Amino acid sequence: MSQQGYVAAPPYSQAQPGIGGYQGGFGPGPVQPHYGHYGGGAPPTFQAPLTGGMKSPVLPPPVSTPSSPSNQQNGAQPQRYPAAYGQPLQSTAYNSMASSAPPPAMQLTNQMSSLNMGNYAPGPVLQNPPSATSLQQPFRTPPPPQMTLGSQSPHMQSPHMQPPQMAPAPSISMGSPPMGRPFPGAPPPHPGGSRGLQQPGPGPVGPPGYPQQAGPFGGHMAGPHPGPGGFPAGPPQKKLDLDSIPSTIQVIEDDQAKHGGQVFSTNIRGQVPPLVTTNFTVQDQGNASPRFMRCTTYSLPCTSDLAKQCQVPLACIVKPFASLPKNETPLYLVNHGESGPIRCNRCKAYMCPYMQFIEGGRRYQCGFCNCSNEVPVFYFQHLDHMGRRVDLYERPELSLGSYEMVATLDYCKNNKPPNPPAYIFMIDVSYNNVKSGLVRLICNELKTLLDMLPREEGADNSPVKVGFVTYNKTLHFYNVKSSLSQPQMMVVSDMAEMYVPLPDGFLVDFQESRAVICNLLTQIPDMFADTNESETVFAPVIQAGVEAFKEADCSGKLFIFHSSMPTAEAPGKLKNRDDKKLVNTEKEKTLFQPLKGTYEQLSKDCVAQGCCVDLFLFPNQYVDVATMADVSLHTGGSVFKYNNFQVEMDGEHFLQDVRKEVQKSIGFDAIMRVRTSTGFRATDFFGGIHMKNTTDVEMAAVDCDKAVTVEFKHDDALNEETGALIQCALLYTTISGQRRLRILNLSLNCSSHLSELYKCCETDSLVNFFAKSAYRAILNQPLKNIKEILVNQTAHMLACYRKNCASASVASQLILPDAMKVFPVYMNSLMKTSPLTGSTELSTDDRAYQRLSVMAMGVEDTQLLLYPRLIPLHNMDVANEAPPAPLRCTEERLADSGVFLLENGHTMFLWLGQASPPDVIQGLFNAPSLAHLQGNMSVLPELDNPLSKKVRAIMRDLLEKSPKSMKLQIVRQKDKPEMMFRQFLVEDKGLHGGTSYVDFLCYVHREIKQVLT
């Protein structure tokens, strides 16, 4: 399949009640809600496609797939037929196996006519054989003879929608033999007879040892599917070949082949960057690096009407502290002296490459609001014959897309410079943590880890001060002043009025107080060795941290190591509210909602003080993660969860996480503002943030792994000539206590052609936006509604492309924009993630944990989470430095004789086929066969042979790149733990409901045809 351009994705949006943006409270969604959708009501009308339009990936007509013993896990065909597009899918919810009886004819007619169907071009004659249950469809005018979907309707042509000629994009025929041409003419008869009126059949019997899978579209049976009345509906159709549908791996490989190892210069407006999975070098020449900012599309529709029509959300994912590779230049620091950064008088945008100097360099015109400003005397410079300043390339703010500026006292709290931040380590010393060995493990690690505290480049020591607290039902503060010979403990037992009993000696310099601190860390495990106290407090612990930072007049981070639900009498006491009866009901959302009151106020206090909370949880049972981790989310912190923690099994995994968190680059007490040029504006924000108003994004801290997703909408028409400009300004405190501004600028194209918008889409960014939108909607909407919205919007975006941008083709072809051809596989994977899966088998805490983790993720993290890497290890060349190429994430790519590594940024599996070669097992485990391996292994032995070294190097490399450490789980084929591994094969059916990629594609194709008729 040819890969045209690369991948990127489109725009527009407005906050919808209860779904897109939540400024004004959450109400019921509109009849046809959409993420990032302008207006509700009936779907916008589509213009007929125009001659000379561009071709695109085309997929063949969906056919029914008989299951065979070899493919029951994936590739089976959905039996659910689409309801009227735009209505909630009434009798056939996306995630439901059961289906109610078909609606009466009159009811169906009313439903369909309520959608304003008169605006659509007439649809094709149904080619399905007549059946006893067929209903008349009075709402549709009879089409002219032999008219197929996609044919022209002359009176529907739009004068302003002349898409430019484009190269043909890949096409796939649904149901045709591999690489075959699309079926000519109308789609083949559906085995189920009349569309939309059938109940799904029973599910298949799964392979031995696996539970029967309840697919969202109903089940599948081998052999011919009976039509209405029980008559067979013809011979079974050929199964859709996996290689004939778009492959994420192929798209990644094609982009790597095209851009890998090359320099990406940012000097062209609206230039679509390489994929996040591609290795490339960025050269900043006027637009921010895609490592800092990525958009869902790099060509915005000129008008809100066009944005409504395509329903592609317009968003930008900003990762202000993204790590840069060693071969890329760090950001330059600009200092304009006591007068401070130069800004536009009207819109307050900062000096950047989009400012136009006029009148011989004495004034400049703001690129964002067009205001004319005087150039300060000290900043004046003459212009050359091109009208550019002669010092253009000497000033980062005039020639680069990303740079930093020194902020003056006007940008500091109380107009005085901030102090360097502090780190406080708060250890739960209740019975569970002491007994498991966790307290001793933490104390031993801190003795060496504190030497690795973050520092400015070139500095010998870290300016970060440290403090220590232990707690159970009471809090114990430690005086570790360097002048003491022994640390002193002070106990606070009044939880209602928290205060820090040490005015001096609590926050200290580690190098100065090293001896006292090491003494303390040696004593703590023994001090509490005989404790029987199992009750803990939690909210007062965070409050103590905030008070300590207030006392020291600084910002900072709390590292809290906590084991159980806080049940002791104190503010923030929690009780068990886990109720599996709520799953798949209207009240399921309450399981994800944090408790208000104490914790909500705590979040506000933390953000106001610049106190970030990192939470390390070690639960043996339900602890209400939704509430406990909420403060971390809103303060820019991270949450880590180690279920049933055992030092031998999980110790190293946990310590790697602590090391990453302590050492990572970070800014404190941050405020971010996103400015845009006229015609559109930022309307909604997703991430680990707090917002007091609609424009200022506040973060107690922001580190190199955290991203904020910003959604935009039109408030006027955009101009193709001037394009669209975005400036993100982040004001923060450095690790050394300097107040700085980090400025990121990006310029995008604008177009009145939808084809241009689709061509410049970025699928990975789109998926990041949809994941965060859906995960936020979980707090206020039933899962069923959210999944229907995701499916509907996927179908609508692709239907709009087909109608307006693709050349005429037969209805049996599924046509996808080249830049979005693997979008459906990500959307299907998203709907199978645990927060969106209503299953009582899944832990409520685990679901809440994943929801919170995703909310602050960048594009590369959501891409990997939703399409894990599956790497074959059994047949690789150990002499080759490069790791083996990943395979499609499906059971079909596994082999009984293979060994595979799978990772998604959170979990890592080593899968051993039952017929794994003995030499591979010997090389990896020093054991003669699989039978000799111990159960529950979580580490590879360090063996001195090429295979072992190569595999461990691959794993080490993956762990270094990942924001979180991953515990290795070694699973053998057909063993019980293998079920955990299989849920990450995202192209197959989900273990807890959820369809395969093939089935989802067929389903989306039917939805698209529904929209177009």
Side-chain angles (χ1 to χ4, degrees):
M1 269 177 269
S2 67
Q3 155 77 346
Q4 193 175 301
Y6 129 77
V7 13
Y12 273 94
S13 74
Q14 171 170 322
Q16 285 299 316
I19 211 76
Y22 300 116
Q23 258 55 326
F26 305 80
V31 176
Q32 183 195 346
H34 281 285
Y35 296 109
H37 165 46
Y38 283 99
T45 57
F46 292 96
Q47 271 82 27
L50 300 158
T51 30
M54 66 190 191
K55 294 197 174 181
S56 335
V58 185
L59 295 174
V63 293
S64 177
T65 324
S67 302
S68 66
S70 64
N71 65 26
Q72 281 170 338
Q73 280 291 317
N74 54 67
Q77 189 63 25
Q79 284 293 314
R80 173 238 181 272
Y81 298 98
Y85 175 75
Q87 301 278 29
L89 303 175
Q90 303 202 355
S91 63
T92 46
Y94 176 82
N95 59 344
S96 159
M97 179 81 175
S99 166
S100 62
M106 183 52 81
Q107 184 184 334
L108 185 67
T109 305
N110 292 343
Q111 286 173 6
M112 300 300 274
S113 50
S114 72
L115 291 180
N116 195 11
M117 298 295 277
N119 293 333
Y120 290 85
V125 180
L126 284 178
Q127 299 294 327
N128 296 352
S131 74
T133 53
S134 291
L135 295 183
Q136 290 183 320
Q137 298 185 335
F139 59 87
R140 227 171 1 207
T141 54
Q146 295 182 334
M147 183 176 187
T148 58
L149 267 181
S151 60
Q152 312 261 111
S153 175
H155 63 279
M156 294 287 288
Q157 291 196 12
S158 158
H160 64 277
M161 286 298 301
Q162 296 292 340
Q165 287 280 355
M166 293 190 63
S171 76
I172 300 107
S173 300
M174 303 291 265
S176 62
M179 309 309 291
R181 65 190 180 83
F183 279 94
H190 236 299
S194 180
R195 128 184 104 128
L197 307 172
Q198 295 265 140
Q199 290 192 355
V205 178
Y210 295 98
Q212 182 171 337
Q213 298 303 320
F217 308 132
H220 340 290
M221 295 187 296
H225 294 265
F231 294 101
Q237 300 284 336
K238 180 172 171 59
K239 181 179 180 294
L240 188 60
D241 179 26
L242 197 65
D243 292 322
S244 69
I245 58 176
S247 158
T248 302
I249 295 300
Q250 191 61 51
V251 167
I252 289 171
E253 286 177 359
D254 289 347
D255 198 70
Q256 178 65 33
K258 187 174 179 183
H259 300 289
Q262 297 186 10
V263 173
F264 175 74
S265 295
T266 68
N267 56 342
I268 301 171
R269 185 178 82 190
Q271 186 179 199
V272 181
L275 293 177
V276 286
T277 46
T278 299
N279 295 317
F280 62 100
T281 302
V282 180
Q283 189 174 43
D284 188 339
Q285 294 189 348
N287 284 295
S289 161
R291 305 194 201 287
F292 294 124
M293 296 175 87
R294 275 185 179 267
C295 291
T296 52
T297 184
Y298 287 80
S299 181
L300 309 190
C302 280
T303 65
S304 58
D305 287 343
L306 272 183
K308 286 178 198 172
Q309 191 175 340
C310 68
Q311 291 185 356
V312 178
L314 171 62
C316 179
I317 296 88
V318 183
K319 199 174 184 183
F321 273 79
S323 302
L324 298 178
K326 289 184 176 138
N327 60 348
E328 290 182 18
T329 314
L331 298 194
Y332 287 98
L333 180 62
V334 177
N335 190 344
H336 285 151
E338 290 181 11
S339 58
I342 297 170
R343 308 175 68 176
C344 170
N345 291 330
R346 183 195 289 164
C347 71
K348 302 300 179 190
Y350 292 88
M351 181 55 70
C352 69
Y354 312 140
M355 304 300 190
Q356 182 69 42
F357 287 87
I358 52 177
E359 296 182 18
R362 287 186 294 277
R363 300 184 73 81
Y364 67 92
Q365 188 169 357
C366 175
F368 295 88
C369 68
N370 297 322
C371 174
S372 175
N373 298 270
E374 267 191 50
V375 173
V377 175
F378 80 90
Y379 199 67
F380 173 79
Q381 188 53 271
H382 293 287
L383 307 185
D384 64 13
H385 67 288
M386 303 275 289
R388 298 179 306 188
R389 285 173 59 118
V390 295
D391 64 350
L392 176 72
Y393 294 108
E394 294 162 29
R395 291 194 175 271
E397 73 274 23
L398 299 181
S399 55
L400 299 178
S402 312
Y403 44 87
E404 293 204 315
M405 292 179 163
V406 175
T408 54
L409 291 179
D410 300 341
Y411 294 83
C412 303
K413 279 184 185 170
N414 306 322
N415 288 347
K416 63 178 188 178
N419 292 313
Y423 284 2
I424 303 177
F425 297 89
M426 313 181 101
I427 306 169
D428 166 2
V429 288
S430 61
Y431 177 76
N432 277 351
N433 278 4
V434 174
K435 181 187 165 197
S436 70
L438 177 67
V439 172
R440 191 173 297 276
L441 183 74
I442 293 169
C443 291
N444 287 342
E445 176 65 22
L446 287 178
K447 291 176 190 175
T448 53
L449 183 57
L450 293 177
D451 277 321
M452 312 301 290
L453 289 168
R455 65 194 72 186
E456 293 289 353
E457 206 165 324
D460 293 335
N461 292 326
S462 170
V464 176
K465 294 194 169 175
V466 293
F468 302 89
V469 173
T470 55
Y471 66 94
N472 38 47
K473 273 167 60 171
T474 57
L475 268 69
H476 325 118
F477 294 81
Y478 295 93
N479 184 346
V480 282
K481 205 171 177 180
S482 56
S483 56
L484 297 173
S485 58
Q486 284 284 334
Q488 296 173 344
M489 177 204 249
M490 301 192 79
V491 179
V492 175
S493 53
D494 181 1
M495 297 294 108
E497 294 292 326
M498 184 46 62
Y499 68 100
V500 179
L502 292 164
D504 189 27
F506 177 60
L507 293 178
V508 297
D509 182 294
F510 172 64
Q511 299 302 339
E512 290 175 9
S513 298
R514 177 189 288 271
V516 190
I517 289 173
C518 289
N519 195 340
L520 169 68
L521 294 172
T522 303
Q523 290 179 31
I524 285 175
D526 299 329
M527 239 188 294
F528 297 97
D530 301 323
T531 185
N532 289 318
E533 186 56 72
S534 58
E535 283 195 318
T536 58
V537 295
F538 183 64
V541 179
I542 300 176
Q543 192 66 51
V546 175
E547 295 302 324
F549 291 146
K550 272 186 191 165
E551 195 88 18
D553 193 19
C554 68
S555 51
K557 183 183 264 202
L558 308 180
F559 293 82
I560 302 179
F561 305 95
H562 190 90
S563 64
S564 57
M565 187 184 287
T567 52
E569 284 305 325
K573 174 183 174 178
L574 296 176
K575 60 184 181 200
N576 191 332
R577 58 192 186 104
D578 187 17
D579 186 353
K580 290 290 198 275
K581 294 195 194 86
L582 299 181
V583 174
N584 283 323
T585 70
E586 291 282 324
K587 290 187 177 176
E588 184 172 7
K589 61 193 174 193
T590 60
L591 298 175
F592 295 100
Q593 291 168 350
L595 293 178
K596 301 290 186 193
T598 304
Y599 290 97
E600 193 173 30
Q601 186 56 46
L602 213 44
S603 292
K604 291 176 184 173
D605 294 346
C606 284
V607 173
Q609 188 55 44
C611 169
C612 169
V613 179
D614 269 359
L615 180 58
F616 296 82
L617 284 169
F618 306 87
N620 295 329
Q621 57 195 17
Y622 175 80
V623 292
D624 196 356
V625 169
T627 299
M628 291 187 70
D630 193 55
V631 177
S632 292
L633 174 70
H634 289 292
T635 58
S638 304
V639 183
F640 302 86
K641 187 161 172 282
Y642 311 90
N643 296 338
N644 303 310
F645 180 83
Q646 294 174 282
V647 168
E648 307 76 37
M649 301 285 292
D650 308 291
E652 191 54 35
H653 170 214
F654 156 65
L655 292 179
Q656 291 288 357
D657 279 330
V658 179
R659 288 167 197 152
K660 279 177 185 269
E661 278 304 299
V662 168
Q663 296 176 48
K664 64 171 51 167
S665 60
I666 188 168
F668 288 94
D669 204 8
I671 300 179
M672 187 173 92
R673 175 74 72 90
V674 178
R675 294 178 174 86
T676 56
S677 53
T678 52
F680 74 119
R681 62 191 167 88
T683 57
D684 206 357
F685 302 88
F686 306 83
I689 57 175
H690 174 75
M691 298 197 70
K692 277 197 296 202
N693 54 43
T694 56
T695 54
D696 293 329
V697 179
E698 296 187 57
M699 295 170 275
V702 55
D703 65 44
C704 55
D705 299 319
K706 301 294 187 295
V708 178
T709 299
V710 185
E711 191 183 357
F712 301 100
K713 73 166 192 178
H714 286 84
D715 45 21
D716 204 348
L718 297 172
N719 187 313
E720 288 194 43
E721 283 181 27
T722 55
L725 307 177
I726 302 171
Q727 183 179 82
C728 169
L730 180 84
L731 175 65
Y732 73 99
T733 302
T734 66
I735 213 79
S736 60
Q738 187 183 35
R739 204 74 174 139
R740 284 189 193 171
L741 286 150
R742 182 165 287 210
I743 312 293
L744 309 171
N745 304 291
L746 190 62
S747 60
L748 305 176
N749 287 331
C750 300
S751 177
S752 53
H753 300 301
L754 284 176
S755 56
E756 212 32 52
L757 178 146
Y758 281 104
K759 189 174 79 170
C760 296
C761 275
E762 233 261 328
T763 289
D764 297 333
S765 299
L766 264 181
V767 171
N768 178 282
F769 171 82
F770 278 116
K772 291 184 181 182
S773 301
Y775 280 10
R776 187 166 69 179
I778 287 175
L779 297 177
N780 303 281
Q781 295 268 336
L783 294 187
K784 179 182 159 194
N785 291 12
I786 294 167
K787 292 203 271 195
E788 282 174 7
I789 289 166
L790 291 172
V791 175
N792 281 356
Q793 191 148 0
T794 301
H796 208 115
M797 287 156 61
L798 299 176
C800 176
Y801 173 81
R802 172 164 188 150
K803 195 75 179 173
N804 296 291
C805 309
S807 56
S809 58
V810 291
S812 58
Q813 294 176 333
L814 171 57
I815 302 180
L816 301 169
D818 199 66
M820 289 173 67
K821 64 186 176 192
V822 292
F823 181 64
V825 76
Y826 285 108
M827 290 298 271
N828 187 41
S829 177
L830 171 61
M831 287 187 280
K832 290 189 286 188
T833 55
S834 63
L836 289 173
T837 302
S839 168
T840 53
E841 292 174 33
L842 295 169
S843 140
T844 301
D845 272 349
D846 286 350
R847 295 173 73 198
Y849 171 64
Q850 183 170 338
R851 189 192 86 80
L852 291 162
S853 300
V854 168
M855 289 309 292
M857 274 188 186
V859 177
E860 47 281 277
D861 301 329
T862 47
Q863 186 278 330
L864 185 58
L865 180 73
L866 296 174
Y867 201 91
R869 283 191 193 100
L870 181 65
I871 303 171
L873 301 177
H874 51 283
N875 53 5
M876 67 178 171
D877 178 5
V878 290
N880 188 347
E881 283 190 17
L887 302 175
R888 291 185 77 150
C889 217
T890 168
E891 184 192 25
E892 288 193 14
R893 293 295 186 261
L894 300 178
D896 290 359
S897 59
V899 174
F900 296 85
L901 186 70
L902 181 144
E903 66 102 10
N904 70 348
H906 281 244
T907 314
M908 183 182 279
F909 288 94
L910 186 65
W911 184 87
L912 309 171
Q914 54 191 5
S916 300
D919 58 321
V920 173
I921 300 301
Q922 184 71 43
L924 290 177
F925 300 99
N926 199 23
S929 71
L930 279 182
H932 291 77
L933 296 186
Q934 303 168 350
N936 289 333
M937 290 182 68
S938 63
V939 67
L940 276 183
E942 293 192 20
L943 303 176
D944 188 15
N945 67 66
L947 178 64
S948 175
K949 287 177 179 173
K950 172 79 174 173
V951 170
R952 284 183 288 113
I954 290 171
M955 289 164 55
R956 196 163 51 245
D957 186 51
L958 294 173
L959 285 168
E960 276 174 16
K961 290 176 183 170
S962 171
K964 293 190 175 184
S965 169
M966 292 176 279
K967 178 184 171 185
L968 178 66
Q969 298 181 54
I970 298 171
V971 297
R972 289 178 284 201
Q973 187 180 7
K974 299 284 169 71
D975 276 10
K976 194 176 177 185
E978 194 202 12
M979 294 298 288
M980 289 284 294
F981 165 81
R982 285 183 180 271
Q983 70 187 10
F984 296 103
L985 299 175
V986 295
E987 291 199 24
D988 300 343
K989 285 184 65 173
L991 286 186
H992 306 286
T995 185
S996 71
Y997 171 36
V998 172
D999 290 355
F1000 182 70
L1001 212 49
C1002 296
Y1003 174 76
V1004 165
H1005 186 208
R1006 286 204 294 277
E1007 290 291 298
I1008 290 170
K1009 288 197 288 185
Q1010 192 77 31
V1011 175
L1012 294 174
T1013 52

